[in-house]
Amino acid sequence: MQQAEKETAKPGPLASVLSIFNTTIGQKIITGLTGLGLVGFLVGHLAGNLTLFAGSEAFNSYAHKLESLGFILYAVELGLLAVFVFHIVFAISVTSHNKSARKSKYVDSRSAGKPSRKSISSQTMIYTGIILGLFTIIHVWMFKFGPGMAAGYHTDLHGLPARDLYRLVVEKFKNPWIMGSYSAVMLLLGVHVRHGFWSAFQSLGAYHPRYTPLIYTLGILIAVLFAIGFLALPVYIFFAPLTA
Amino acid sequence: MSKMNLTLKIWRQASANAPGAMETYPLADVSEHMSFLEMLDVLNEKLIKEGKEPVEFDYDCREGICGTCGLVINGVAHGPRKLTATCQLHMREFKNGDTITIEPWRANAFPVIKDLVVDRTAFDRIVAKGGYVSVNTGSARDANETPIGKEDADKAFDAATCISCGACVAACPNASASLFVSAKVSQYTYLPQGHPERERRVLKMVSQMDDEGFGNCSNHGECEAVCPKGISIQNIAIMRREYVKAALKTGSAIV
Ligand code: HEM
């Protein structure tokens, strides 16, 4: 009887390993790892974007250097796409499971206060997340797959022809609608990361009575830096007397 | 002795499948020295005298140690006082003229049996999967036979103070049982007695937790704030580490 049970219950090696990520804890490990991966990416992305403040040459040559990585860039982009997809798929799966775990809702529901870390940020992860996802698609379409050298966005970098991404960015952000909606989404990014950063550590099992309060504060700091850092660019371009 | 007049809004539900609704009951002359459950006793005596159905609620020891009582009071599991089970909450926390809402723990995994009483046997089924150590019983062993460091003993003891009341599930926006299960896991993680069954314990208990239909943990931390024993969400991190180690070692979440 026990023998029979063992044989029927045994899944194959791949199914066994995948089962680890099929439980509540396994799914949160994926959202945590990918979430931190996205935070890491954004640190690099922000640093790169800030070269725009140094003028068209600095920005265009930064973009050109990235482009000339060729194969390496494709590999990194593919990895980043996978990180995004995994984060989104697992986050949606976790959230839909969570939303259905309480069919009968409370008539009155309040926070019990400290040490609870429940916040607007922690309760809106799925909404801020979906907006970030949609934003990312539009953003990549607007700039990465936007008009290139063939469409006239052409410049010279020390005698070499290069794409004038600077001009494209400045043109776009001179439009008040684009500037405004970008800035708003960047605030939502801050809201997402405010809970997301510390939460990712907790999801990965990293809690310590001394370090966790520091990680929590660091998360707020990173959220503010992301929001202000990414927001500064469109706002600066819109208000500064720049010409493309 | 000051007396209060209160308006109680209480969830009434005739049976598991019957629809429920909030009903309003005025209650006069409530003493501030009464416990919350004594206040409900007074209400029930009044209802019985009026020929009405009394409000069903759970309790046993009324000393804050058995984990049987549990009500969501004004939107907070176990009510407004920190580190206090419902039975240890006293009416001095309220003021004359207050309206108090009283609801059961709400979670799919805790179906309502009647009014404020819910079925928490899901917790028993989780514990049955590994919340124990398999040692033969016999005469009591010498207390100091196995030396355990003070720090480890403290961690294990802090987790072991869980009274399985279910407030963590009730307060969690996702109706997750993570704090409960993690307390039951980490209670044994730091003790040598828990080590032989370490991997099996966490994998089986997590799997049962998922099967019972509890939500996932989003790290809101609301559970710790309502826990009458102040169990830290550090235990949830410990459970996750234990889970990953056990699952990677086993190569599967299934044992
Ligand atoms: C710019 C990109 C993004 C960054 C930097 C980011 C970052 C993070 C981080 C660090 C976490 C914490 C993970 C954890 O609790 O274990 C998280 C959670 C989450 N993310 Fe994102 N995220 C991004 C985009 C998205 C997108 C596009 C979605 C779309 C659905 C999303 C949905 C969520 C949800 C729902 C959670 C919470 C899961 C839960 O309730 O446990 N995120 N995110």
Side-chain angles (χ1 to χ4, degrees):
Chain A
M1 160 81 186
Q2 252 184 348
Q3 191 62 32
E5 231 173 52
K6 256 189 192 155
E7 263 157 32
T8 50
K10 206 155 214 166
L14 185 64
S16 287
V17 174
L18 289 183
S19 70
I20 298 175
F21 303 101
N22 207 16
T23 61
T24 48
I25 296 184
Q27 298 202 347
K28 280 294 290 187
I29 285 167
I30 305 266
T31 61
L33 280 175
T34 53
L36 283 185
L38 292 173
V39 168
F41 159 69
L42 288 182
V43 170
H45 191 34
L46 178 59
N49 283 358
L50 293 180
T51 59
L52 197 139
F53 284 110
S56 71
E57 172 138 351
F59 186 70
N60 277 333
S61 55
Y62 158 68
H64 185 69
K65 270 191 198 118
L66 271 189
E67 280 300 328
S68 48
L69 287 176
F71 166 75
I72 301 174
L73 183 69
Y74 288 133
V76 171
E77 281 173 349
L78 211 66
L80 192 59
L81 181 67
V83 167
F84 250 110
V85 169
F86 271 84
H87 187 75
I88 293 170
V89 167
F90 280 83
I92 290 178
S93 154
V94 163
T95 308
S96 63
H97 173 216
N98 291 346
K99 298 245 179 228
S100 62
R102 177 176 289 125
K103 295 237 164 66
S104 162
K105 305 276 180 252
Y106 286 109
V107 174
D108 189 4
S109 177
R110 299 179 210 182
S111 174
K114 279 196 161 57
S116 171
R117 290 179 166 103
K118 191 168 91 172
S119 61
I120 291 176
S121 163
S122 78
Q123 290 170 285
T124 55
M125 293 300 275
I126 190 66
Y127 309 113
T128 51
I130 287 170
I131 294 171
L132 286 173
L134 295 176
F135 164 84
T136 308
I137 295 170
I138 296 171
H139 174 70
V140 170
W141 167 74
M142 185 183 280
F143 292 122
K144 184 167 176 64
F145 297 112
M149 292 205 275
Y153 288 84
H154 193 284
T155 187
D156 271 337
L157 280 177
H158 313 294
L160 290 170
R163 184 183 179 197
D164 194 358
L165 194 60
Y166 180 83
R167 196 180 119 208
L168 180 63
V169 172
V170 170
E171 276 177 10
K172 292 290 183 198
F173 288 146
K174 281 291 182 192
N175 176 334
W177 292 104
I178 297 182
M179 186 278 292
S181 50
Y182 254 71
S183 307
V185 173
M186 292 307 103
L187 290 177
L188 295 183
L189 169 67
V191 173
H192 196 80
V193 171
R194 182 225 186 279
H195 177 72
F197 187 76
W198 100 270
S199 171
F201 282 87
Q202 171 74 357
S203 295
L204 297 173
Y207 183 102
H208 189 284
R210 298 252 165 76
Y211 299 132
T212 296
L214 295 181
I215 292 172
Y216 188 73
T217 311
L218 184 65
I220 296 175
L221 209 69
I222 291 178
V224 171
L225 279 181
F226 275 177
I228 292 181
F230 281 112
L231 211 155
L233 212 71
V235 170
Y236 165 74
I237 291 173
F238 184 76
F239 289 105
L242 296 181
T243 44
Chain B
M1 194 164 88
S2 81
K3 295 271 191 183
M4 292 180 266
N5 295 328
L6 301 171
T7 306
L8 306 174
K9 292 197 165 159
I10 303 179
W11 182 261
R12 302 301 307 262
Q13 183 172 340
S15 68
N17 297 319
M22 298 299 277
E23 283 187 25
T24 306
Y25 302 92
L27 192 62
D29 291 337
V30 174
S31 157
E32 62 175 2
H33 300 298
M34 283 178 186
S35 76
F36 199 83
L37 297 186
E38 284 166 344
M39 182 275 294
L40 288 179
D41 291 338
V42 171
L43 171 72
N44 275 346
E45 279 172 24
K46 182 171 162 245
L47 291 178
I48 291 165
K49 275 189 201 133
E50 291 168 359
K52 293 181 186 147
E53 184 84 3
V55 178
E56 204 88 24
F57 60 93
D58 249 341
Y59 65 88
D60 191 9
C61 74
R62 297 202 181 199
E63 291 177 348
I65 51 174
C66 76
T68 310
C69 65
L71 301 171
V72 173
I73 301 163
N74 285 342
V76 175
H78 287 308
R81 203 177 158 82
K82 287 263 141 75
L83 301 174
T84 305
T86 301
C87 63
Q88 292 294 294
L89 182 70
H90 284 77
M91 295 315 292
R92 52 181 168 268
E93 301 291 333
F94 300 91
K95 296 189 310 289
N96 185 29
D98 275 359
T99 298
I100 305 174
T101 61
I102 308 171
E103 296 176 72
W105 288 172
R106 293 189 196 271
N108 297 357
F110 286 169
V112 168
I113 296 171
K114 190 173 181 191
D115 297 338
L116 304 170
V117 179
V118 299
D119 178 355
R120 283 169 288 183
T121 51
F123 272 10
D124 300 340
R125 289 187 291 272
I126 294 171
V127 168
K129 289 287 173 179
Y132 52 81
V133 288
S134 302
V135 286
N136 293 332
T137 50
S139 54
R141 292 160 76 186
D142 175 18
N144 292 322
E145 189 185 273
T146 311
I148 295 162
K150 166 83 173 133
E151 295 80 1
D152 285 346
D154 283 352
K155 275 189 210 142
F157 188 79
D158 284 349
T161 56
C162 169
I163 54 175
S164 311
C165 63
C168 44
V169 174
C172 176
N174 308 338
S176 168
S178 293
L179 191 66
F180 166 76
V181 179
S182 72
K184 300 300 165 199
V185 167
S186 49
Q187 173 181 341
Y188 296 107
T189 300
Y190 290 96
L191 300 180
Q193 290 90 336
H195 285 195
E197 291 159 307
R198 192 169 181 168
E199 282 97 24
R200 252 177 297 163
R201 171 177 303 113
V202 66
L203 294 179
K204 286 197 162 173
M205 289 178 81
V206 167
S207 152
Q208 187 65 33
M209 163 175 91
D210 290 358
D211 288 349
E212 295 290 349
F214 292 105
N216 200 333
C217 170
S218 290
N219 307 321
H220 296 289
E222 200 61 28
C223 51
E224 180 178 339
V226 299
C227 178
K229 302 297 154 184
I231 292 179
S232 164
I233 57 170
Q234 176 169 18
N235 291 295
I236 298 179
I238 292 169
M239 169 174 73
R240 284 164 167 161
R241 290 205 297 271
E242 286 296 305
Y243 171 84
V244 173
K245 277 190 269 180
L248 290 181
K249 193 169 161 190
T250 312
S252 172
I254 303 151
V255 269

